[in-house]
């Protein structure tokens, strides 16, 4: 089971490995079985309790346990994985066989997750994030924790080898060297949770119901409110357990997020796939100057909403200055969110957005598009110019009456949305023209070269010959010039 | 024409007026169905003649408004191919300009429904990695739609940019 893993393995060892498959930890059925049982009990405990004959229930449960154990062992026997030079292959399935191949160079990240029970046995689950796949990502559950770590490191190193030098962000490939970017201490986590809307609602409701109970003595009200109170408490509690011990580190393999109290999770995010960042300042945190950092990562999909929240959060809570330092690290030193000058919408925009107009702002520089908004909670969204998917101007009848227009920067799915509401129409036009120019230059700079010089690639189809002459008033005029900006950096 | 949404200095290509014919035909069909339903309802719960006239009038006004909106929408729909981006302008009430860099296109769809096929038009749709991108050009003559799709795909390849 212990492969040569600390260094990128030589081709010879690949050849050796190719023939031999590996198995998951033999403890897997032990960990899996109770999970199945719990799932079964969770869905059908009411029917079971309704049964008169307790002996029957016991027999049923015992049978279930045995069946689960048999299935678990069979499943373990039938699950194998191989690592070849270019592929990770996972074969699973007792009745229906499934063989999944994951190209190592397509791996976007590998997460390590430890549910509580697995953690007790020192096991961990590996989840492979393959951005292109539309179906579920591959998983390996469960492996001994140390082996999971080794496997992840060796796979990520292999990936970087396969991709070649250009995609490795820094020259020194020592995966052990990790730079600590952010760490969350318990005190701050507790304070930040106490200062959340859910916690306040929980406290308020709890106090109100207790008071009502004491004064009037009617339990009816408590019964009605109790589920809501419990739900709120659960939400807060889940955040506590999922963000407990949060740390963000950086290594040549990517950004690593580790967190969790009962279930440990460790994610790796490739900074090259970060599509944008957003610094959120919830209104209750603003007096303390705290903020949260979330990112949009291309192709990062998780199924349930809670996971999404967790997986897009790079810093759950920290002073704003620290958050901005992480932003600089994630986006690269040449992009400075704070250096981008933001412009407020014109005064007449207050007729359309009486409250929001005071905080709304939009701006760009050759590297970034940035917007700020929010009445109570503030947010600062930033998207690198080369990551823009499309730009949109929209204007409804009301906007039109005021000579205003909405500027929208489209990004892949995620929390980040750079948008400028109620902009002056002439300014918006200039903004889009400028963004087109910067975007083209930034995409070329980012190393996806259009081989031909600008303009030569227009196909010589007769009816598309374009008169793209420089035009001082049109939005395209600035799009026709960006070659001048590109040699920077 | 509003220069904000159709910036001058580029060649704007308009969608086929046949799109208006198709949409108005569908509108007419919807009106016929609506009137039919109203007639059945009126027959079942016997209503006064005045109310029938009022109902027909309401349908008529709604149809006229929709008729006018369709015309306006089709007249305003257009696209322009720049060196690096495709521009699409549209909107009868809410006006819109979409700028899609060729390198950002993930794929291009050409779709023609049964009624579209009768009149020989098709709808072209650009997909980027963002679900927010609403880059649609309806009412393209079929061969023009295919040509545009091929041109866009070719440009997307030469300017392909990783995510």
């Amino acid at each position: 089971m212990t492969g040569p893993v600390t260094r990128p393995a030589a081709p010879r060892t690949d050849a050796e490995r190719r023939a031999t498959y590996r198995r998951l930890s033999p403890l897997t059925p032990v960990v899996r079985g109770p999970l199945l049982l719990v799932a079964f009990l969770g869905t059908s405990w009411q029917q079971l309790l309704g049964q008169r004959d307790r002996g029957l229930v016991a027999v049923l449960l015992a049978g279930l346990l045995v069946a689960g154990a048999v299935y678990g062992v069979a499943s373990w026997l039938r699950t194998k994985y191989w690592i070849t030079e270019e592929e990770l292959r996972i074969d699973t399935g007792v009745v229906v066989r499934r063989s999944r191949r994951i190209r190592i160079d397509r791996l976007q990240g590998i997460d390590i997750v430890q549910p509580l029970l697995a953690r007790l046995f020192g096991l961990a689950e590996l989840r492979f994030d393959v951005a292109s796949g539309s179906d579920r990502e591959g998983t390996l559950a469960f492996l001994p924790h140390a082996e999971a770590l080794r496997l992840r490191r060796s796979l990520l190193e292999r990936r970087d080898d396969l991709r070649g030098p250009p995609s490795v962000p820094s020259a020194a490939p020592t995966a052990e060297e990790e730079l600590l970017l952010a760490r969350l201490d318990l005190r701050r986590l507790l304070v930040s949770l106490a200062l959340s809307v859910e916690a306040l609602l929980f406290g308020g409701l709890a106090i109100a119901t207790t008071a009502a109970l004491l004064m009037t003595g009617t339990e009816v009200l408590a019964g009605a409110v109790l589920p809501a109170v419990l739900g709120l408490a659960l939400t807060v509690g889940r955040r506590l357990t999922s963000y407990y011990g949060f740390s963000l580190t950086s290594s040549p393999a990517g950004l690593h997020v580790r967190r969790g109290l009962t279930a440990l999770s460790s994610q790796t995010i490739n900074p090259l796939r970060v599509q944008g960042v957003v610094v959120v300042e919830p209104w209750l945190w603003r007096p303390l100057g705290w903020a949260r950092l979330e990112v949009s990562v291309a192709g990062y999909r998780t199924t349930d909403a809670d996971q999404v929240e967790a997986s897009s959060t790079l810093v759950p809570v920290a002073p704003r200055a620290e958050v901005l330092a992480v932003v600089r690290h994630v986006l690269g030193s040449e992009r400075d969110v704070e250096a981008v000058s933001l412009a407020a919408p014109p005064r007449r925009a207050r007729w359309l957005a009486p409250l929001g107009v005071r905080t709304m702002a939009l701006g760009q520089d050759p590297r970034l598009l940035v917007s700020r908004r929010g009445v109570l909670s503030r947010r600062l969204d930033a998207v690198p110019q080369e990551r823009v998917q499309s730009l949109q101007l929209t204007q409804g009848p009301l906007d039109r009456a005021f000579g205003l227009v909405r500027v929208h920067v489209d990004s892949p799915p995620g929390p980040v949305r750079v948008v400028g509401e109620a902009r002056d129409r002439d300014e918006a036009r200039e903004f889009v023209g400028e963004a087109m120019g910067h975007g083209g230059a930034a995409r070329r700079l980012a190393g996806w070269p259009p081989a031909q010089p600008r303009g030569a690639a227009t196909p010589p189809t007769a009816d598309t010959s374009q008169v793209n002459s420089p035009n001082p008033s049109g939005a395209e005029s600035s799009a026709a010039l960006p070659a001048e900006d590109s040699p920077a950096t | 024409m509003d220069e904000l949404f159709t910036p001058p200095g580029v060649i704007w290509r308009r969608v086929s007026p046949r799109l208006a014919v198709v949409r108005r035909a569908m509108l007419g069909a919807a009106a016929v169905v609506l009137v039919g339903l109203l007639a059945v309802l009126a027959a079942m719960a016997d209503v006064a003649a005045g109310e029938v006239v009022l109902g027909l009038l309401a349908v008529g006004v709604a149809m006229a408004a929709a008729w006018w909106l369709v015309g306006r929408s089709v007249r305003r729909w257009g696209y322009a191919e720049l060196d690096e981006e495709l521009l699409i302008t549209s909107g009868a009430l809410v006006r819109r300009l979409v700028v899609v860099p060729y390198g950002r296109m993930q794929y291009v769809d050409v779709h023609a429904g049964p009624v579209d096929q009768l009149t020989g038009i098709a709808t072209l749709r650009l997909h980027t990695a963002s679900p927010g991108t609403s880059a649609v050009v309806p009412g393209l003559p079929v061969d023009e739609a295919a040509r545009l799709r091929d041109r866009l795909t070719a440009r997307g390849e030469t300017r392909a940019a990783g995510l």
Side-chain angles (χ1 to χ4, degrees), chain A residues 14 315 465:
Chain A
D14 288 331
V315 181
S465 55

Side-chain angles (χ1 to χ4, degrees), chain A residues 106-117:
Chain A
R106 290 287 165 84
L107 277 177
Q108 293 307 331
I110 304 176
D111 298 351
I112 294 183
V113 185
Q114 281 186 288
L116 180 58
L117 205 60

Side-chain angles (χ1 to χ4, degrees), chain B residues 27-66:
Chain B
L27 207 62
V32 168
V33 171
L34 195 65
V35 169
L37 277 177
L38 285 178
V40 170
L41 278 178
M44 270 163 36
D46 77 303
V47 281
E51 285 169 348
V52 171
V53 172
L54 213 64
L56 285 178
L57 211 63
V59 172
V61 168
M63 290 312 292

